[in-house]
């Protein structure tokens, strides 16, 4: 009986120990689960919890902002490094007026505002053979020259672009009656002859001005030139360039004839040519003051 009683007690003790061990293990698992649950993101501060859920729209807005800042920085870097930048609509007249900074204005220097009087020193020279005519692209030829000719048939401008009729073809003898009639589709003989004669006048200009660099004007002897920006008191190219400058800045500017003296050029009262027709001009401009 004693042996049976001892065996029964040992069996009950083993069961009790097993129950204690199971309870301890359950407590460990629950504790681990609770610790893990407490560490979930929804218990993080709101800003931290929402960060992984940032919307695509917000990311796009931020990317666009960074891209815009990058473009602005690139433009500023281009000016600071003296690279050429276009001041005209690139889809219509790419680089019709272009500028590069020669000397950067000091930090905080005032910018030019439209309607304000400015004071500048400048010098102006002719650009290239024929005062730039030889360097015309087909687009230049259409916008600077063909657009000023009277009675040009519809579709000729498109033919200029298609056949790549730039300054060289207008002035090297290619542009004759046969070319204008056959290649460009100018069927009216009188209009064809007028265009050919106008092209020959351009070719003569190339002969008269074989090289660029001739200075035609300067403020050095007369003193600073003053004018009101945006009021048509200076040629379009100079007015546009100065409107982008800051006081103390010095820049080089090149402008096509349609932003300079156009098809008439510039003459003295006695008829002496100062700037030939359709001339591309280069200016060095030093912005002294803006009031």
């Amino acid at each position: 009986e004693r042996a049976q009683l001892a065996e029964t007690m040992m069996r009950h003790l083993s069961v009790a120990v097993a129950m204690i061990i199971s309870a301890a293990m359950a407590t460990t698992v629950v504790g681990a689960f609770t610790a893990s649950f407490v560490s979930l993101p929804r218990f993080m501060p709101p800003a931290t919890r929402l960060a992984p859920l940032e919307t695509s729209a917000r990311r796009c807005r931020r990317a666009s902002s960074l891209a815009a800042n990058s473009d602005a920085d690139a433009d500023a870097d281009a000016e600071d490094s003296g690279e050429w930048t276009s001041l005209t609509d690139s889809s219509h007249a790419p680089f019709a007026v272009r500028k590069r900074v020669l000397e950067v204005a000091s930090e905080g220097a005032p910018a030019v505002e439209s309607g304000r009087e400015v004071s500048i020193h400048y010098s102006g020279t002719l650009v290239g053979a024929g005062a730039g005519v030889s360097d015309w692209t087909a687009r230049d030829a259409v916008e600077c020259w063909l657009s000023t000719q009277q009675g040009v048939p519809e579709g000729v401008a498109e033919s200029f672009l298609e056949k790549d009729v730039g300054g060289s073809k207008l002035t090297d003898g290619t542009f004759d009656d046969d070319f204008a009639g056959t290649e460009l589709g100018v069927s009216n003989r009188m209009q064809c002859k007028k265009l050919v004669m106008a092209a020959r006048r351009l070719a003569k200009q190339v002969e008269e001005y074989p090289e660029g660099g001739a200075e035609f004007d300067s403020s050095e002897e007369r003193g600073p030139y003053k004018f009101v920006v945006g009021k048509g008191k200076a040629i379009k190219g100079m007015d546009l360039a100065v409107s982008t400058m800051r006081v103390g800045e010095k820049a080089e500017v090149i402008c096509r004839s349609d932003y300079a003296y156009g098809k008439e050029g510039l003459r003295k009262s006695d008829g002496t040519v100062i700037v030939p027709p359709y001339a591309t001009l280069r200016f060095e401009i030093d912005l002294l003051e803006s009031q």
Side-chain angles (χ1 to χ4, degrees), residues 97 120 122-123 217 225 227 234-245 253 255 259-260 283-285:
V97 181
I120 65 172
Y122 74 93
S123 63
D217 194 16
Y225 174 51
F227 67 97
I235 62 170
K236 289 167 61 178
M238 177 179 285
D239 192 275
L240 179 60
V242 170
S243 71
T244 69
M245 297 176 68
V253 178
C255 52
Y259 285 82
F283 292 98
E284 283 198 9
I285 303 173

Side-chain angles (χ1 to χ4, degrees), residues 114-175:
S114 182
R116 298 295 182 89
E117 184 180 76
V118 296
S119 176
I120 65 172
H121 268 311
Y122 74 93
S123 63
T125 57
L126 304 180
V127 175
V133 169
S134 294
D135 297 326
W136 279 349
T137 64
R139 175 68 65 182
D140 293 333
V142 167
E143 296 179 354
C144 294
W145 181 77
L146 188 63
S147 63
T148 68
Q149 306 303 310
Q150 295 182 350
V152 177
E154 186 177 352
V156 173
E158 288 76 9
S159 296
F160 259 67
L161 299 177
E162 181 182 343
K163 301 295 183 180
D164 194 25
V165 182
S168 59
K169 285 185 179 179
L170 282 173
T171 59
D172 65 2
T174 300
F175 199 93

